[in-house]
Amino acid sequence: MDKKIKMRTEGVNFFYGRTQALKNVDILIHANQVTALIGPSGCGKSTFIRLFNRMNELVSDTSLSGNIYLDDLEINSSQIDPVDIRKRVGMVFQKPNPFPKSIFDNISYGLRVNGVKDANFIEERVEASLKKAAIWDEVKNRLNDSALKLSGGQQQRLCIARCLAVDTEVILFDEPCASLDPISTAKIEELILELKKDYTIVIVTHNMQQAARVSDYTGFFLLGELIEFGKTQDIFTAPQDKRTEAYITGRFG
Amino acid sequence: MKEKLYKLIFMVLAFASLLFLLGIVFILFKESLPIFSKVNIGKFIFGRFWYPTYSPPEFGILPLILASAWVTLGAILVCVPLGVGSALYLNELAGPKQRAILKPLVELLASVPSVVFGFFGMVIVTPFLQKVFNLPTGLTALNASLVLGVMATPTVCSIAEDALNYVPKSFREASFALGADRWQTLTQVVIPAAGSGISTAIILGMSRAIGETMTVLMVAGGAAVIPHTFLEPVRPMTAAIAAEMGEAPVGSSHYHALFAIALILFLVTFIFNIIAEIVSRRFRIKLGLSG
Amino acid sequence: MKRKYIQNLGFGGLFLCMFATLFFLGLIIFFVGARGAKVISWEFLTQIPRCSMTQGGVAPAIVGTLYITLGAILFSLPLGVACAIYLCEYSPKGFMVNIIRISINNLAGVPSVVFGLFGLAVFVKFFGFGVSILSGSLTLGILALPLIISSTQEALLAVPQSIREASLSLGATKWETIKRIVLPAALPGILTGVILSIGRVAGETAPILFTAAAFYMRGYPKSVFSEVMALPYHIYALMTEGVHPDRQMAIAYGCSFILLFLVLSISGIAIIIRQKQRIQHG
């Protein structure tokens, strides 16, 4: 088992106004592993995952204390531009959110905003990303069609491909299957397992079966606290905390 | 760094509206204050005679204020029933298909230029009124009221319709469930619920009517005397400014007096707009919409 | 039974209100259309006026209106869009932002003749642009500013937040996100607002009375510092000045026809596009 730690947090507290959304969260995200964050809605798991690419800064009137590291870089340091972090830590959102542009332009967007101009390189990278996201065969003949014409499941894989085109190291999935049907969901899950060879993956999900199927590590959140964190097997078969057990056996949620 | 620069540029440009508004206020005060060193402010507002080109000139704008008040009042009598009635019709009776046609037509009426309304008033309404009431001239307060009223109708209608749309469906359903018919539901539930939204519409309609220039300039008749009936020619404030500014030498008392009229006009519409804003905010809070 | 009777009466009243409102629109279009169309000819559209405004055409007024309107939009479009971008994309809620919002609302309610006086004092006199296309365009531009701001705001708000987040999560900066994602997505809405403003500006008279308009000019304006004829002012002038009221009235009908046709078709297009967009966005 690879013990390399890709990201970690130390004593993270987070506030919306005066409401505390996260309480003293410490977590280790292992490289090339899938880490699932589970918990009832409103428990802070989505807020937490958005700290890894500093997306919470877009919400006004919030405050953060504690440290978050990407490798050994403290990403919340004021000297660090969030844009540089987001290039290395990609995100796939709850609802597929392709740009109202062509399929090709959706994938190449990340490269272009990062200053890539070489057309050949862009073309190659678009193809490679779409292949990696297992959607190439479905779209290769219509790269210039609007991305909005794709089905929901295809759109979500397109959004994953969009992430891959940038030199990303970590991919954050914020309930990526919340709006998808079971078949599309299965495809995304398969893809996640495939991607972990090359990327470190964090996934927020309210679907415990999904967490059990795809993840190597699982963290259970409740009311802004990380109640329990460990190998997925252990969490699901021998939870240490009564609350984890209660949630996993479906007594609340 | 570049990002901060962009933000700064947008912020500076965003202040343009504030700058222009302050600029307008500043210019109006600066250009109108000289007249008050010649005429005291009470005499200016309550003076009964407007003879700006006589010697010695008289700068009493009461006739102009009253003319504006009469014409606006008349316009309200036209545009409130028409505008609110149309809004109720659109909201309550028209089906989706009918509405898809009628609403754009109302908006189209709003886009007819005021000078065309004025022209229409001169060539069509004037001879009509002259005949009906057997008048020496058809260019009267009544004429201006009618034309202005029709002009302000789309404004009133659109805003009132928005207000009616905000009334939650559940209010209506609750009323129907208690055995009320559609008319009772409309008059006793929907209209009271949308009440302050409709008031906003009326206030903004009035504001529009007071500030309207070309129409009253062309059809009100232009006599700067205190009106006694709707069938006399009048000279509302906007018409006085538009008609006389061309002839008033820059820097003369007349010039400053016209700016003073504009200042009063501005303050009146400003107050109306502020009231409308407060009323509409209260309306949104009442219905639980974000302020 | 009585209840039913009252309801029918009430609904009948509402129908009458709706009918009356549209009746006036029809009446105006009918009279101006029927009598104005007779005056319209190729000569009327392309010639300059002759014989004390009683013959010839009104081409300089048409061209002048186009110039002034174009100038006004050139001035207010960048300013208005920038302001809307600041309010929707950059500004955190705050005191100053509220002040800006309030001033936009109030600017929208300022009587048009007051804009005219402001233009006279500032552009014509203070900056010394004189009675000119430039002064008129700037004055009308300020009048159009609130319209452009509010329609641009509406268009920006209709762009889903999720694609802004997607762009930022890919390492785009805020400005790149606005430039490459938000503005292109909002463009149709912004353009609709611009078209509506064009319709409004083209028909305004009071703001150009003292800042740009001339009753008669021998030819076309030479520069932005020239006085200019304009359709709306021309209608007013034909009806209130000059020495041949009867023969001028025919020309006024023609001008009204052209102005009404221009404004209604411009606004009509914008209204239809906007309605389609609103249906698309739900």
Side-chain angles (χ1 to χ4, degrees):
Chain A
M1 178 67 57
D2 187 358
K3 288 290 180 195
K4 189 169 176 282
I5 301 300
K6 186 69 183 171
M7 296 192 83
R8 65 196 157 92
T9 67
E10 283 172 3
V12 162
N13 289 290
F14 188 80
F15 296 83
Y16 290 111
R18 301 171 78 178
T19 323
Q20 188 161 12
L22 292 170
K23 291 171 198 160
N24 207 19
V25 180
D26 296 336
I27 205 167
L28 301 174
I29 306 293
H30 296 256
N32 296 94
Q33 298 282 298
V34 178
T35 304
L37 306 177
I38 60 170
S41 45
C43 67
K45 57 191 192 298
S46 281
T47 303
F48 183 65
I49 199 176
R50 289 163 67 96
L51 291 174
F52 287 123
N53 61 345
R54 293 183 60 174
M55 287 299 271
N56 280 327
E57 284 170 24
L58 306 178
V59 184
S60 57
D61 198 22
T62 57
S63 55
L64 170 71
S65 67
N67 297 313
I68 302 166
Y69 296 94
L70 171 61
D71 294 328
D72 283 318
L73 183 71
E74 212 292 296
I75 65 170
N76 277 305
S77 151
S78 58
Q79 277 122 42
I80 290 184
D81 187 342
V83 169
D84 295 329
I85 299 301
R86 291 178 194 144
K87 283 177 196 163
R88 295 176 61 191
V89 182
M91 186 167 223
V92 176
F93 297 80
Q94 216 172 76
K95 262 173 82 182
N97 52 359
F99 302 126
K101 293 172 177 280
S102 72
I103 293 170
F104 186 90
D105 288 347
N106 260 277
I107 309 297
S108 61
Y109 178 80
L111 296 169
R112 290 185 208 274
V113 296
N114 290 316
V116 180
K117 295 225 165 65
D118 179 350
N120 284 329
F121 176 80
I122 292 179
E123 219 162 292
E124 279 166 26
R125 185 59 81 82
V126 168
E127 180 173 339
S129 311
L130 288 167
K131 278 182 174 156
K132 258 189 189 169
I135 189 178
W136 173 250
D137 291 331
E138 291 157 69
V139 300
K140 65 182 172 194
N141 295 322
R142 47 175 180 149
L143 291 175
N144 291 318
D145 279 13
S146 165
L148 299 176
K149 285 188 189 159
L150 299 172
S151 73
Q154 287 173 325
Q155 287 187 359
Q156 196 60 301
R157 276 179 285 147
L158 181 83
C159 292
I160 295 172
R162 192 170 62 183
C163 258
L164 302 179
V166 186
D167 279 315
T168 188
E169 299 160 32
V170 180
I171 308 176
L172 309 171
F173 287 86
D174 186 359
E175 300 199 27
C177 305
S179 61
L180 300 183
D181 61 90
I183 294 170
S184 304
T185 302
K187 281 188 184 161
I188 302 271
E189 288 180 8
E190 213 175 293
L191 186 55
I192 289 173
L193 290 173
E194 188 63 33
L195 290 172
K196 76 171 184 181
K197 287 181 207 149
D198 300 317
Y199 305 93
T200 301
I201 290 169
V202 184
I203 174 169
V204 160
T205 175
H206 57 231
N207 178 336
M208 276 173 289
Q209 285 76 23
Q210 185 170 64
R213 281 192 301 264
V214 301
S215 70
D216 305 294
Y217 290 86
T218 296
F220 170 58
F221 277 86
L222 187 63
L223 300 170
E225 279 180 88
L226 179 61
I227 303 294
E228 193 167 353
F229 179 71
K231 287 203 167 146
T232 301
Q233 258 175 295
D234 300 341
I235 296 272
F236 278 88
T237 53
Q240 303 292 308
D241 193 288
K242 276 195 177 143
R243 289 166 292 180
T244 315
E245 191 184 357
Y247 182 71
I248 286 174
T249 51
R251 265 179 271 157
F252 68 94
Chain B
M1 253 351 267
K2 229 169 109 189
E3 284 296 309
K4 279 189 182 152
L5 184 70
Y6 281 119
K7 183 173 178 177
L8 190 72
I9 291 172
F10 283 121
M11 192 174 80
V12 169
L13 294 178
F15 278 97
S17 306
L18 178 61
L19 182 79
F20 290 134
L21 192 71
L22 292 179
I24 289 172
V25 175
F26 173 76
I27 292 291
L28 290 179
F29 271 103
K30 177 178 167 283
E31 296 289 340
S32 58
L33 284 181
I35 190 69
F36 296 120
S37 63
K38 298 206 169 122
V39 188
N40 100 23
I41 202 163
K43 271 203 178 137
F44 184 74
I45 293 176
F46 296 108
R48 300 167 58 84
F49 302 100
W50 175 251
Y51 297 128
T53 51
Y54 280 26
S55 68
E58 290 225 38
F59 296 108
I61 64 166
L62 190 64
L64 313 182
I65 293 176
L66 288 178
S68 281
W70 277 64
V71 167
T72 303
L73 181 76
I76 288 300
L77 294 178
V78 176
C79 75
V80 168
L82 285 188
V84 176
S86 301
L88 288 170
Y89 181 84
L90 283 173
N91 195 265
E92 202 63 28
L93 296 177
K97 269 191 188 162
Q98 219 184 358
R99 206 154 76 174
I101 299 168
L102 293 179
K103 269 191 83 163
L105 284 178
V106 172
E107 284 184 67
L108 216 50
L109 182 62
S111 70
V112 173
S114 58
V115 70
V116 173
F117 273 104
F119 175 70
F120 177 78
M122 280 183 95
V123 295
I124 306 294
V125 185
T126 302
F128 175 76
L129 290 179
Q130 203 169 356
K131 225 175 179 177
V132 170
F133 293 102
N134 194 19
L135 298 169
T137 169
L139 299 171
T140 56
L142 178 64
N143 193 341
S145 296
L146 290 175
V147 179
L148 266 190
V150 173
M151 260 186 95
T153 298
T155 307
V156 176
C157 177
S158 301
I159 303 169
E161 221 255 332
D162 283 345
L164 289 168
N165 271 334
Y166 284 130
V167 176
K169 227 182 172 166
S170 58
F171 284 20
R172 288 192 176 97
E173 284 168 356
S175 167
F176 288 140
L178 293 169
D181 65 18
R182 284 172 77 191
W183 179 250
Q184 288 167 323
T185 304
L186 190 64
T187 50
Q188 288 166 40
V189 177
V190 177
I191 293 177
S196 41
I198 295 176
S199 321
T200 309
I202 296 170
I203 298 166
L204 289 176
M206 279 172 80
S207 175
R208 167 109 207 250
I210 294 177
E212 182 45 53
T213 310
M214 291 318 290
T215 325
V216 292
L217 177 59
M218 291 168 83
V219 303
V225 291
I226 291 176
H228 297 285
T229 73
F230 266 110
L231 298 174
E232 291 167 37
V234 294
R235 172 170 288 220
M237 296 192 279
T238 49
I241 300 169
E244 296 167 27
M245 188 47 99
E247 298 141 25
V250 174
S252 64
S253 296
H254 190 188
Y255 175 89
H256 294 305
L258 292 175
F259 267 94
I261 297 174
L263 176 64
I264 292 168
L265 197 61
F266 173 83
L267 291 177
V268 171
T269 50
F270 186 79
I271 290 166
F272 274 45
N273 291 336
I274 294 284
I275 294 173
E277 179 127 2
I278 292 168
V279 173
S280 99
R281 192 160 292 179
R282 212 171 270 173
F283 169 65
R284 288 163 156 269
I285 289 167
K286 185 172 112 188
L287 289 185
L289 301 150
S290 65
Chain C
M1 234 35 242
K2 192 176 157 228
R3 257 171 72 172
K4 190 102 195 151
Y5 182 70
I6 293 177
Q7 170 161 321
N8 287 339
L9 203 68
F11 285 171
L14 297 186
F15 175 78
L16 273 182
C17 290
M18 187 76 244
F19 179 79
T21 303
L22 296 178
F23 172 75
F24 288 114
L25 177 67
L27 207 62
I28 292 170
I29 293 177
F30 174 75
F31 274 107
V32 174
R35 295 193 191 167
K38 276 188 243 161
V39 185
I40 305 295
S41 65
W42 186 244
E43 191 203 359
F44 190 76
L45 294 174
T46 56
Q47 300 289 308
I48 60 168
R50 288 194 317 259
C51 306
S52 320
M53 299 290 152
T54 56
Q55 280 171 24
V58 293
I62 299 174
V63 173
T65 293
L66 294 182
Y67 283 162
I68 299 179
T69 308
L70 188 72
I73 298 298
L74 282 181
F75 172 63
S76 61
L77 181 62
L79 211 52
V81 170
C83 178
I85 287 177
Y86 182 72
L87 292 178
C88 288
E89 305 291 327
Y90 281 103
S91 77
K93 288 161 206 147
F95 178 71
M96 279 328 281
V97 172
N98 265 336
I99 296 281
I100 294 177
R101 275 181 222 283
I102 290 171
S103 52
I104 293 166
N105 282 348
N106 278 292
L107 204 58
V110 171
S112 56
V113 70
V114 174
F115 282 107
L117 290 193
F118 177 72
L120 171 67
V122 174
F123 302 126
V124 177
K125 301 292 176 210
F126 183 75
F127 285 117
F129 298 150
V131 174
S132 63
I133 295 181
L134 184 60
S135 298
S137 291
L138 291 172
T139 309
L140 284 175
I142 298 175
L143 179 136
L145 198 57
L147 290 173
I148 299 226
I149 293 173
S150 58
S151 58
T152 305
Q153 271 185 302
E154 191 187 334
L156 292 175
L157 288 175
V159 176
Q161 187 61 25
S162 66
I163 68 170
R164 290 187 181 88
E165 290 192 338
S167 170
L168 292 167
S169 79
L170 290 167
T173 61
K174 189 134 197 162
W175 168 239
E176 283 165 341
T177 301
I178 293 169
K179 188 177 66 172
R180 290 169 185 260
I181 301 294
V182 180
L183 281 181
L187 195 64
I190 296 174
L191 286 182
T192 318
V194 170
I195 302 173
L196 272 178
S197 314
I198 290 176
R200 168 86 192 276
V201 166
E204 277 295 342
T205 319
I208 57 171
L209 276 179
F210 333 113
T211 57
F215 184 23
Y216 174 65
M217 290 196 39
R218 234 165 246 290
Y220 297 94
K222 302 273 184 308
S223 77
V224 291
F225 294 107
S226 305
E227 279 186 77
V228 66
M229 288 176 70
L231 275 177
Y233 177 71
H234 203 57
I235 297 169
Y236 164 66
L238 285 169
M239 294 304 289
T240 55
E241 290 170 31
V243 284
H244 304 289
D246 296 341
R247 277 180 285 169
Q248 283 172 202
M249 195 192 281
I251 308 236
Y253 263 113
C255 290
S256 297
F257 181 87
I258 299 170
L259 185 64
L260 196 62
F261 179 80
L262 277 178
V263 169
L264 288 188
S265 41
I266 289 171
S267 309
I269 291 168
I271 290 166
I272 291 169
I273 297 176
R274 197 173 56 183
Q275 203 167 30
K276 288 224 167 105
Q277 282 165 356
R278 279 183 182 154
I279 291 166
Q280 262 175 21
H281 289 303

